[in-house]
Amino acid sequence: MAALPSILRKSFSKAVPLAARLIGTQRITSSAATTTAFSARNGGVISPHLIRHGGCFSNRFFCSDVAVSSDKKLIEVVQSEIDVVEQSDDHGKTVTAPGDFPFSLEDNPGEQTITLTRDYDGETIVVEVSMPNLVTGEEDEGEGDDDEDDENPRTDSSVPLLVTVTKKDGNAPYMEFDCTAFPDEIRINGLSLKNPETEDQLAYEGPDFFDLDDNLQKAFHKYLEIRGVKPSTTNFLHEYMIEKDNKEYVRWLKDVKNFVEA
């Protein structure tokens, strides 16, 4: 009989850890059930606090893997686009200015405009040339019909120009022409006479150009032509800006790729 207490003590000592493990398991199961019930009561939304204490740390690594895969895919697509552009027939071609081109040309890589400058009979003529508005033939035929100022709207590619004519006698007013260069044609959209000493936004800048007498419109076109803004000049600019657009596009793609890879 003396051995019986010893056996009971050993059995009890084994039973206590087992009971503790069972209780712990019950608590975990109860915690999971509580989390599920909480989610159901809140429309499926589980608190981040509950998620962290519910053993969901693996989501962090899963999201990281998805981000890496997404970045890799983006890099591949960007590189594919770079290859397509660089392998095209028109990429990298040299556009030569005509022999009578009267301007000096400033083209800074990474900028969306170029600047032409020349001196003419005591004046300084500056032409800011913007990226071309390209028409590929896929646009709607009626596009541009809402231009009420132009009785004959053009639907082919064009290059925006801002022409400034400045006298060399100091702070004299200067004339500014807003133009659009089409193949073999230059259109004046508007002109204004501005004073560099004042910035009055309410100053009268003249009537709408298309409301001017036809002879006066032709005279202004001639005024620009003798200063070098003529079809032979703008046809070159049209080709030059298309090539610049391609170069800047490739440059931008490479910058995007480098950023994602960093």
Side-chain angles (χ1 to χ4, degrees):
M1 297 297 294
L4 181 59
S6 176
I7 294 173
L8 290 174
R9 283 196 299 272
K10 291 181 179 180
S11 299
F12 180 75
S13 64
K14 293 180 180 179
V16 169
L18 176 62
R21 288 197 297 272
L22 290 174
I23 292 172
T25 303
Q26 183 178 6
R27 286 178 178 175
I28 294 173
T29 305
S30 175
S31 176
T34 301
T35 301
T36 304
F38 180 86
S39 174
R41 288 197 303 270
N42 290 273
V45 179
I46 304 177
S47 166
H49 175 76
L50 294 177
I51 291 176
R52 287 196 297 270
H53 290 276
C56 296
F57 292 100
S58 60
N59 284 345
R60 186 178 305 169
F61 301 101
F62 173 76
C63 293
S64 177
D65 291 342
V66 170
V68 171
S69 176
S70 175
D71 290 358
K72 183 178 179 181
K73 181 63 177 178
L74 175 59
I75 292 170
E76 291 175 354
V77 173
V78 171
Q79 183 59 54
S80 176
E81 179 69 5
I82 293 173
D83 294 340
V84 169
V85 177
E86 290 185 334
Q87 293 170 11
S88 64
D89 295 336
D90 294 334
H91 179 71
K93 72 176 183 179
T94 301
V95 181
T96 305
D100 60 346
F101 189 70
F103 294 93
S104 61
L105 189 154
E106 180 181 355
D107 182 359
N108 296 318
E111 295 184 358
Q112 63 180 0
T113 62
I114 66 171
T115 303
L116 310 180
T117 307
R118 73 168 300 198
D119 293 330
Y120 172 81
D121 195 21
E123 300 173 345
T124 299
I125 292 88
V126 178
V127 183
E128 184 179 88
V129 188
S130 300
M131 286 297 185
N133 298 315
L134 299 178
V135 178
T136 62
E138 298 177 357
E139 286 79 359
D140 295 336
E141 294 183 358
E143 186 175 350
D145 290 344
D146 56 350
D147 188 353
E148 298 178 355
D149 294 330
D150 193 347
E151 296 179 356
N152 301 299
R154 297 283 296 261
T155 57
D156 44 354
S157 300
S158 61
V159 177
L161 308 175
L162 184 64
V163 183
T164 303
V165 181
T166 306
K167 301 291 185 179
K168 288 188 175 181
D169 55 354
N171 294 323
Y174 62 92
M175 192 173 293
E176 189 174 83
F177 294 82
D178 172 24
C179 303
T180 303
F182 295 95
D184 302 316
E185 181 186 2
I186 300 172
R187 295 202 172 182
I188 300 175
N189 305 315
L191 67 91
S192 57
L193 191 64
K194 298 186 176 181
N195 191 332
E197 295 183 347
T198 63
E199 297 294 337
D200 187 0
Q201 299 297 322
L202 299 179
Y204 178 70
E205 296 184 349
D208 189 289
F209 184 79
F210 296 100
D211 291 337
L212 296 176
D213 180 79
D214 288 346
N215 290 330
L216 188 53
Q217 293 186 35
K218 292 177 182 178
F220 277 119
H221 278 95
K222 190 64 177 179
Y223 178 87
L224 290 180
E225 181 181 342
I226 64 175
R227 285 162 176 77
V229 184
K230 52 188 178 180
S232 62
T233 298
T234 56
N235 286 346
F236 156 72
L237 292 176
H238 193 272
E239 295 183 19
Y240 187 93
M241 294 306 291
I242 289 175
E243 178 58 25
K244 178 176 173 63
D245 191 30
N246 289 334
K247 290 179 181 178
E248 296 301 339
Y249 178 51
V250 172
R251 189 190 313 277
W252 176 80
L253 287 172
K254 290 180 178 179
D255 288 343
V256 170
K257 181 179 176 234
N258 291 336
F259 177 84
V260 177
E261 287 177 332

